[in-house]
Amino acid sequence: MNIVVMGGGTGTYTALMGLKKYPCNLISIVSMMDSGGSTGILRDEFGVLPPGDVRRCIVALSESTPLMKKLFQYRFAAGNGLKGHSFGNLFITALKGIMGSDAEAIKQACTLLNIKGKVLPVTLNNVHLCAELENGQLIKGETNIDIPKHDPALRIRKIFLEPQAKAFEEAVHEILDADKIIIGPGDLYTSVLPNLLVEGIREAISQSKAQKVYVCNVMTKYGETNNFQVHDFAGEVEKYLGKGVLDLVIFNDKKAGKHLLERYAQEHAAQVGFSLEKMGKWKFIKTDLMTEPNLIRHDSDKLAKVIFES
Amino acid sequence: MNIVVMGGGTGTYTALMGLKKYPCNLISIVSMMDSGGSTGILRDEFGVLPPGDVRRCIVALSESTPLMKKLFQYRFAAGNGLKGHSFGNLFITALKGIMGSDAEAIKQACTLLNIKGKVLPVTLNNVHLCAELENGQLIKGETNIDIPKHDPALRIRKIFLEPQAKAFEEAVHEILDADKIIIGPGDLYTSVLPNLLVEGIREAISQSKAQKVYVCNVMTKYGETNNFQVHDFAGEVEKYLGKGVLDLVIFNDKKAGKHLLERYAQEHAAQVGFSLEKMGKWKFIKTDLMTEPNLIRHDSDKLAKVIFES
């Protein structure tokens, strides 16, 4: 079974970590609009495509030694110009210097880290994510949407790319060839939806005979999805993907503990609620997808089981 | 056959590249006093032992893919704070961050690069190389001897370490266990002799039943070995190693082309000459050890053949 997982951040990592235990061919298609931190600096200084999310997906699928994976995720804690850089990002940047192209660099990083499956950039174009807020204000750059300098209470009206990006051909091919396409989990406007803005991706998903599944987040994110419920997430996905395209929505229905929710509330994040009435237009699976205490996150094994068996 | 190669720079790399084709167990013992370039910055900023020479020896003995070796030697051409850094140096520095010790970091780098043989630091102490010039002037730091800011016409009277360094136990063990110990080729005062300054190394070489061989450089180096002939090199080695310790001196006797020598003369470097009369106290082999045109260097295959068969 060919399973395509679309996203970018921690959510995609979690899904891949779980799914890799199942007998399937995993293809991770990664958003290439990240512009923050180590990744943002390398974009600016080397003109390399953002390596951060690619790196995380490679680690998720790597069958290398634990040390090699640890090294790939290592972050320098000191050094003028080195501090804060992820070693894996430098690894991919150096490979681009040697190979001459981002596509080859990512491909070779996958080979050197001995990954099971594929990690593909959604596009090879160097583009930036932009958002228009409900008051008409324009925000440029993924990191400025992810970590807002504007009033985070404002809703995002729409997002778009500047300039427009074309889909990486191999990613389109894998979407068309997939049996399941998993969209999410992950930050809605900065990790998940950016993939759907790329010219050719939305069309490929529509054409594909794959089952199209959206996995909803467990927590809202301040400045992106304040007070969102599951149907708000799914509705936004279909706004960019096309109405009626999703075959299934998977979401968590287990309540987190009060104490934990209070801690998250300090960062203006709340557990994503749901209204069965408002889910009427979607086929859905609601179940316990939570990890054990301390963090409100998806459990990779629980999530993979539901995805695989649905 | 256990062959220990002692040195640090390009000369050691050349010897290892040739010797690895022979059926022998190769142990490279590396000077840890380098303080220039990418290595010097990482020493300062991370307190890591100098990774540069270790990196080169690892590449020489690595059986990894050509791409992995290329990556390990890759140097960043841009980036604030990244420009000029060797990726392999960052690799070793990151490993130290993970493993907590220089010895473990070097050991794991050897494993990850799949080396045939061993690369061992001569010491785990963080020390600096100092030189006293013929006019009494003191120079501190390997890079200031290697690339002199003082008058390069002045001879080096003696070199010493500050503070004193103790030999890495595993290096001592390998010296005692060796069948051949190859000293050089390489920059005399900055790559070769520093190894002999480390407490325990000179004693181990003397005690070892191995054949002790000095391979002389093909070119003089301005500021270190101006006008040196083979017997000057060998004499300096025995000054630090002990008189009569060398069993054999190997040197090149093929003249380089005039045109080439003129190019080198611009950098005040000359081909190392020899006087058979002055070689009287040493057993020696003189033969053609030169590479093909363009560079006056040792040919790794010619050098290895003589070493192995002598």
Side-chain angles (χ1 to χ4, degrees):
Chain A
M1 189 190 325
N2 297 333
I3 303 184
V4 164
V5 177
M6 303 192 73
T10 318
T12 305
Y13 179 86
T14 304
L16 295 173
M17 286 300 281
L19 285 168
K20 72 189 278 197
K21 298 173 190 165
Y22 287 85
C24 62
N25 181 25
L26 272 175
I27 301 102
S28 171
I29 296 182
V30 185
S31 153
M32 300 303 279
M33 291 79 194
D34 187 4
S35 68
S38 163
T39 285
I41 293 169
L42 295 173
R43 279 189 84 161
D44 285 350
E45 293 186 339
F46 291 88
V48 72
L49 287 179
D53 288 333
V54 167
R55 184 193 81 234
R56 265 183 288 269
C57 294
I58 289 177
V59 170
L61 298 183
S62 171
E63 312 233 291
S64 279
T65 60
L67 179 61
M68 192 65 190
K69 290 195 263 185
K70 220 168 171 176
L71 185 59
F72 211 66
Q73 289 286 59
Y74 181 76
R75 214 170 271 277
F76 288 99
N80 168 33
L82 270 173
K83 191 175 172 175
H85 269 308
S86 143
F87 180 79
N89 290 356
L90 300 182
F91 195 103
I92 295 169
T93 302
L95 276 175
K96 173 165 181 195
I98 294 168
M99 307 306 298
S101 86
D102 289 285
E104 259 318 295
I106 294 170
K107 196 173 160 190
Q108 293 299 338
C110 291
T111 305
L112 291 172
L113 270 285
N114 189 23
I115 77 163
K116 186 189 162 191
K118 278 187 184 180
V119 175
L120 301 175
V122 71
T123 179
L124 295 175
N125 300 144
N126 191 347
V127 296
H128 280 283
L129 184 68
C130 306
E132 186 188 316
L133 306 182
E134 59 178 320
N135 66 349
Q137 194 181 344
L138 284 178
I139 308 297
K140 194 174 169 181
E142 183 271 348
T143 188
N144 297 320
I145 305 166
D146 188 35
I147 307 163
K149 296 186 187 75
H150 56 268
D151 177 4
L154 291 168
R155 279 185 78 127
I156 291 169
R157 191 185 286 157
K158 67 167 184 172
I159 54 169
F160 56 98
L161 298 179
E162 213 179 77
Q164 186 45 276
K166 280 202 172 161
F168 179 41
E169 217 170 293
E170 200 176 340
V172 169
H173 175 81
E174 292 294 348
I175 288 170
L176 292 173
D177 224 39
D179 297 299
K180 271 182 199 280
I181 298 171
I182 312 301
I183 299 169
D187 289 343
L188 187 65
Y189 292 104
T190 47
S191 287
V192 175
L193 295 180
N195 290 295
L196 307 181
L197 298 174
V198 174
E199 202 181 302
I201 294 297
R202 169 194 165 127
E203 296 76 2
I205 296 176
S206 289
Q207 277 173 48
S208 173
K209 284 186 186 128
Q211 178 198 32
K212 291 114 192 178
V213 181
Y214 172 62
V215 179
C216 191
N217 294 356
V218 281
M219 297 297 292
T220 66
K221 188 179 175 219
Y222 195 44
E224 284 199 38
T225 49
N226 313 341
N227 308 315
F228 267 40
Q229 290 196 306
V230 175
H231 69 273
D232 295 311
F233 280 95
E236 281 296 280
V237 171
E238 286 209 333
K239 183 172 137 192
Y240 290 88
L241 189 58
K243 278 210 168 123
V245 175
L246 290 177
D247 295 308
L248 181 66
V249 176
I250 295 177
F251 62 94
N252 169 64
D253 67 356
K254 184 175 172 202
K255 260 282 189 199
K258 237 185 186 170
H259 182 71
L260 204 50
L261 284 170
E262 277 164 10
R263 234 177 55 203
Y264 274 80
Q266 288 168 12
E267 292 166 26
H268 306 279
Q271 190 162 13
V272 174
F274 58 92
S275 142
L276 291 185
E277 195 185 332
K278 288 181 172 161
M279 288 304 294
K281 56 175 159 175
W282 290 291
K283 201 181 145 197
F284 63 84
I285 297 177
K286 69 179 192 60
T287 181
D288 169 12
L289 294 173
M290 294 248 297
T291 47
E292 287 309 293
N294 297 325
L295 276 175
I296 311 182
R297 285 215 180 146
H298 283 108
D299 177 89
S300 60
D301 290 331
K302 289 181 188 170
L303 179 57
K305 189 168 190 287
V306 178
I307 290 174
F308 198 79
E309 292 177 355
S310 67
Chain B
M1 190 192 323
N2 297 333
I3 304 185
V4 164
V5 178
M6 301 192 74
T10 318
T12 304
Y13 179 86
T14 305
L16 295 174
M17 287 299 283
L19 285 168
K20 71 190 276 197
K21 297 173 190 166
Y22 287 84
C24 62
N25 181 25
L26 272 175
I27 301 102
S28 172
I29 296 182
V30 186
S31 151
M32 301 303 279
M33 291 80 195
D34 187 3
S35 67
S38 162
T39 285
I41 293 168
L42 295 174
R43 277 189 85 161
D44 284 350
E45 294 187 337
F46 291 87
V48 72
L49 287 179
D53 288 333
V54 167
R55 184 193 81 234
R56 266 183 288 270
C57 294
I58 288 177
V59 170
L61 298 182
S62 171
E63 311 234 291
S64 278
T65 60
L67 178 61
M68 192 65 191
K69 290 195 262 185
K70 220 168 173 176
L71 184 60
F72 211 65
Q73 289 286 57
Y74 180 77
R75 215 170 271 276
F76 288 99
N80 168 33
L82 270 173
K83 191 173 173 176
H85 269 308
S86 143
F87 179 79
N89 290 356
L90 300 183
F91 194 103
I92 295 169
T93 303
L95 276 175
K96 173 162 181 197
I98 293 169
M99 307 305 298
S101 87
D102 289 285
E104 259 318 294
I106 294 169
K107 196 173 160 190
Q108 293 300 338
C110 291
T111 305
L112 290 172
L113 270 285
N114 190 22
I115 76 163
K116 186 191 162 190
K118 278 187 184 179
V119 175
L120 302 175
V122 71
T123 179
L124 295 176
N125 300 143
N126 191 349
V127 297
H128 281 283
L129 184 67
C130 305
E132 186 187 315
L133 306 182
E134 58 177 323
N135 66 350
Q137 194 182 343
L138 284 178
I139 309 297
K140 194 175 168 180
E142 183 271 350
T143 189
N144 297 319
I145 305 165
D146 187 36
I147 306 161
K149 296 185 187 78
H150 56 269
D151 177 4
L154 293 167
R155 277 184 79 128
I156 291 168
R157 191 185 288 156
K158 66 165 185 174
I159 54 168
F160 56 97
L161 299 178
E162 215 178 76
Q164 185 46 275
K166 281 203 172 162
F168 179 41
E169 217 170 295
E170 200 176 341
V172 169
H173 175 81
E174 292 293 349
I175 289 170
L176 293 173
D177 224 38
D179 298 299
K180 271 181 198 280
I181 297 171
I182 312 301
I183 299 168
D187 289 344
L188 187 64
Y189 292 105
T190 47
S191 286
V192 174
L193 295 180
N195 290 296
L196 307 181
L197 299 173
V198 173
E199 202 181 305
I201 294 297
R202 168 195 166 126
E203 296 77 1
I205 297 175
S206 290
Q207 278 173 46
S208 173
K209 284 185 186 131
Q211 179 198 30
K212 289 114 193 180
V213 182
Y214 172 60
V215 180
C216 191
N217 294 356
V218 282
M219 298 298 291
T220 66
K221 187 178 175 219
Y222 195 45
E224 284 198 37
T225 50
N226 313 341
N227 307 315
F228 267 41
Q229 290 196 306
V230 175
H231 69 273
D232 296 311
F233 281 94
E236 282 295 282
V237 170
E238 285 209 333
K239 184 172 135 193
Y240 291 88
L241 189 59
K243 277 209 171 124
V245 175
L246 289 177
D247 296 308
L248 181 66
V249 175
I250 296 176
F251 63 93
N252 169 64
D253 67 356
K254 185 176 173 199
K255 260 281 188 200
K258 238 186 184 169
H259 183 70
L260 204 50
L261 284 170
E262 278 164 10
R263 234 177 53 201
Y264 274 79
Q266 289 169 11
E267 292 166 26
H268 306 278
Q271 192 163 13
V272 174
F274 59 92
S275 144
L276 290 185
E277 196 185 330
K278 289 183 172 159
M279 288 303 294
K281 56 175 160 176
W282 290 290
K283 200 181 147 198
F284 63 84
I285 297 175
K286 67 179 193 63
T287 182
D288 169 12
L289 294 174
M290 295 248 299
T291 47
E292 287 310 293
N294 297 324
L295 278 174
I296 312 182
R297 285 216 180 147
H298 283 108
D299 177 89
S300 61
D301 289 332
K302 290 181 187 170
L303 179 57
K305 190 168 188 291
V306 179
I307 290 174
F308 198 78
E309 293 176 355
S310 67

